[in-house]
Amino acid sequence: MLQTSTPMMAEAVIEYQTRNADHFAPWDPTRPPDYWQPGPTRERLAQEAAAFEAGSLWRYWFSRPEDPARLVGQCALSQVSRGVFQSAMLGYSLDAEQVGGGLMHEALAGVIAEVFGPTVSLHRLQASVRPENHRSRHVLERLGFQREGFSPRYLFIDGAWRDHETFALINPDWAERQPPAT
């Protein structure tokens, strides 16, 4: 079950992040101590809701149908670029207890169908992954993303500058000579 950000979900987001802090630590940037406190979290979720409406960021939180109040994953399309690029950066995370069950693949496939569809109509998605994150690389490859490059010391993650691989997926329904939407 996919849902977009709203300030009312702050408690569920904080619980998701807290529950998975150790699981996310190797892959996430270090956050300030108050980052996951209720006030800042509600504010970020409100900003994300406004950005979603403006088409500049799309974050989807997901849960299992049998427990819709418990968040078990999220994905975000950020750095949305229109004009001649028509692209966005993809990031995602999944609850430690859900890893290996196909949930991330299912959720991302649905999101990709939406953003490659006529409503959003992106031409390209890009994701950067640490080379040692084999599960994440596998999800991208299974979805059809192609490895495009290697970026040494790309992002400051888990206390150091970390190498990343860049993967991209081109909208298969976008014709070679189809111009970007205006």
Side-chain angles (χ1 to χ4, degrees), residues 101-152:
L103 183 60
M104 183 57 74
H105 179 270
E106 178 184 341
L108 289 180
V111 169
I112 290 167
E114 181 173 333
V115 300
F116 277 0
T119 304
V120 178
S121 192
L122 288 179
H123 173 255
R124 170 190 175 88
L125 290 178
Q126 188 171 306
S128 294
V129 178
R130 289 182 54 189
E132 61 273 25
N133 192 342
H134 302 290
R135 287 188 180 276
S136 187
R137 292 175 74 233
H138 179 71
V139 167
L140 293 173
E141 290 166 350
R142 190 169 162 222
L143 287 164
F145 281 74
Q146 300 293 310
R147 184 180 183 274
E148 290 191 333
F150 178 79
S151 300

Side-chain angles (χ1 to χ4, degrees), residues 11-181:
E11 186 177 311
V13 168
I14 293 166
E15 198 274 328
Y16 168 73
Q17 290 296 145
T18 303
R19 184 176 72 241
N20 287 287
D22 291 340
H23 175 59
F24 295 155
W27 320 116
D28 282 354
T30 303
R31 306 285 188 193
D34 68 340
Y35 192 83
W36 294 115
Q37 294 300 309
T41 301
R42 273 192 298 277
E43 185 175 318
R44 275 191 313 281
L45 291 167
Q47 291 169 353
E48 289 177 3
F52 191 98
E53 289 300 315
S56 60
L57 177 135
W58 296 284
R59 183 176 309 277
Y60 297 91
W61 297 91
F62 41 100
S63 56
R64 292 266 186 205
E66 63 272 13
D67 193 0
R70 180 182 168 98
L71 299 177
V72 296
Q74 64 82 34
C75 68
L77 295 140
S78 63
Q79 299 178 34
V80 177
S81 179
R82 291 302 193 167
V84 298
F85 200 25
Q86 299 293 324
S87 180
M89 292 293 292
L90 173 66
Y92 47 89
S93 64
L94 185 64
D95 190 294
E97 295 176 5
Q98 304 297 317
V99 171
L103 183 60
M104 183 57 74
H105 179 270
E106 178 184 341
L108 289 180
V111 169
I112 290 167
E114 181 173 333
V115 300
F116 277 0
T119 304
V120 178
S121 192
L122 288 179
H123 173 255
R124 170 190 175 88
L125 290 178
Q126 188 171 306
S128 294
V129 178
R130 289 182 54 189
E132 61 273 25
N133 192 342
H134 302 290
R135 287 188 180 276
S136 187
R137 292 175 74 233
H138 179 71
V139 167
L140 293 173
E141 290 166 350
R142 190 169 162 222
L143 287 164
F145 281 74
Q146 300 293 310
R147 184 180 183 274
E148 290 191 333
F150 178 79
S151 300
R153 300 178 64 202
Y154 183 66
L155 294 173
F156 195 80
I157 302 291
D158 193 26
W161 290 99
R162 307 292 182 173
D163 298 344
H164 281 69
E165 291 177 299
T166 301
F167 290 81
L169 181 65
I170 304 296
N171 185 338
D173 296 327
W174 198 294
E176 183 72 25
R177 297 201 176 270
Q178 177 182 338

